[in-house]
Amino acid sequence: MIKIEGLKKVYQIGDQQIQALRGVSLEIHEGEFVAIMGPSGSGKSTMMNVLGCLDKPTAGEYILDNYRISDAHDDDLAFIRNRKIGFVFQNFNLLPRTTAVENVELPLMYSGIPVRERKERAIMSLQNVGLGERLWNKPNELSGGQQQRVSIARALVNHPVILLADEPTGALDTKTSLEIMSIFQQLNDSGKTVILVTHEPDIAEYAKRIIRFRDGQIEEDQPVMKRRMAYKTEVAAT
């Protein structure tokens, strides 16, 4: 699903060069659940931006689902972000004056999907994350956990090949975090590839594999030996 070889990212700040990634190589296979960890300045956020096609590497190769991202133009990257990657963010990034359905419809609008079909798909995606009774609520009428469910439904509505979550439980309490991790685990069990960026060791342990970054390089890459299992919620396979 993902193949990265010799990836480098250098930021030029004035006359100073900051090496955020220093020749990173890794593979992530279809159906994996990977957590990316590391202290501030380790390169994990830069790696997330590259994986999400939000930033291009300075050197090296990145292949996502047979697309050579390293050589892609801006229009190609926009297409890949919309069709291949589902994003889930810490602060939900929902439009405040629109309903849950309208928020989930957004990626479909950019894909040119007809109005009736995109509404049907948005409703189904929300039902799949347990929000069938909250379709017409606006974000300020939803709890933090419900808003994150809307975010997950939006990320899944275009059937992406990977789900990329950046600190998805960072703004949530412990109980709600467990509910969200339960959704991610069930999505992974149904075959979805999930990549989770987090600074919380206990959250990383819900994944199957942890990649730790330090100083722009992979310090450790190993399977989770004592994996945590979130308690189950009623979420349909997607």
Side-chain angles (χ1 to χ4, degrees):
M1 184 63 67
I2 288 174
K3 184 176 182 180
I4 287 174
E5 290 186 353
L7 204 72
K8 297 181 180 180
K9 181 62 184 180
V10 178
Y11 294 102
Q12 189 75 38
I13 303 177
D15 58 357
Q16 185 180 13
Q17 285 191 340
I18 306 297
Q19 297 189 48
L21 295 174
R22 303 168 181 260
V24 174
S25 297
L26 65 86
E27 292 186 2
I28 296 174
H29 300 283
E30 183 177 359
E32 283 202 85
F33 189 166
V34 178
I36 295 177
M37 298 191 70
S40 178
S42 65
K44 71 177 187 300
S45 295
T46 301
M47 176 56 68
M48 185 210 69
N49 288 337
V50 172
L51 289 174
C53 300
L54 300 170
D55 202 355
K56 293 186 70 174
T58 305
E61 186 169 71
Y62 173 24
I63 297 173
L64 168 63
D65 196 32
N66 297 319
Y67 280 78
R68 194 174 298 275
I69 305 300
S70 311
D71 302 330
H73 298 294
D74 289 346
D75 288 346
D76 298 324
L77 292 175
F79 172 84
I80 291 165
R81 285 193 298 269
N82 182 254
R83 298 294 182 91
K84 297 288 183 179
I85 305 168
F87 294 94
V88 180
F89 299 100
Q90 176 177 343
N91 295 320
F92 320 134
N93 287 9
L94 301 177
L95 298 179
R97 298 182 181 179
T98 59
T99 66
V101 168
E102 290 166 334
N103 267 286
V104 175
E105 281 185 279
L106 282 175
L108 300 174
M109 292 175 64
Y110 298 134
S111 300
I113 304 297
V115 173
R116 182 174 178 177
E117 180 182 347
R118 70 175 185 245
K119 191 170 296 296
E120 290 174 351
R121 285 173 58 176
I123 290 172
M124 182 177 296
S125 192
L126 284 162
Q127 290 172 337
N128 285 343
V129 296
L131 286 180
E133 297 181 356
R134 296 287 188 174
L135 300 175
W136 312 110
N137 290 91
K138 295 179 181 178
N140 65 357
E141 299 169 330
L142 301 172
S143 68
Q146 289 169 337
Q147 290 184 64
Q148 193 60 292
R149 286 172 183 253
V150 175
S151 177
I152 293 170
R154 180 182 59 193
L156 293 169
V157 75
N158 251 341
H159 308 299
V161 297
I162 63 170
L163 189 62
L164 186 58
D166 182 19
E167 302 282 1
T169 62
L172 304 175
D173 60 36
T174 301
K175 179 179 180 296
T176 309
S177 295
L178 285 172
E179 293 172 356
I180 296 303
M181 294 314 300
S182 176
I183 293 174
F184 284 132
Q185 286 188 330
Q186 291 180 69
L187 289 169
N188 178 245
D189 287 345
S190 72
K192 186 67 67 180
T193 304
V194 180
I195 302 173
L196 170 74
V197 179
T198 183
H199 69 277
E200 301 176 82
D202 57 329
I203 293 297
E205 289 173 357
Y206 289 102
K208 296 176 180 176
R209 172 184 171 195
I210 298 178
I211 302 174
R212 300 182 191 274
F213 277 77
R214 185 175 294 275
D215 298 328
Q217 297 177 310
I218 294 177
E219 179 183 50
E220 187 177 73
D221 182 351
Q222 62 182 20
V224 177
M225 302 306 295
K226 295 183 179 180
R227 189 185 184 206
R228 291 173 178 253
M229 295 302 297
Y231 60 84
K232 297 299 182 180
T233 56
E234 295 297 323
V235 181
T238 301

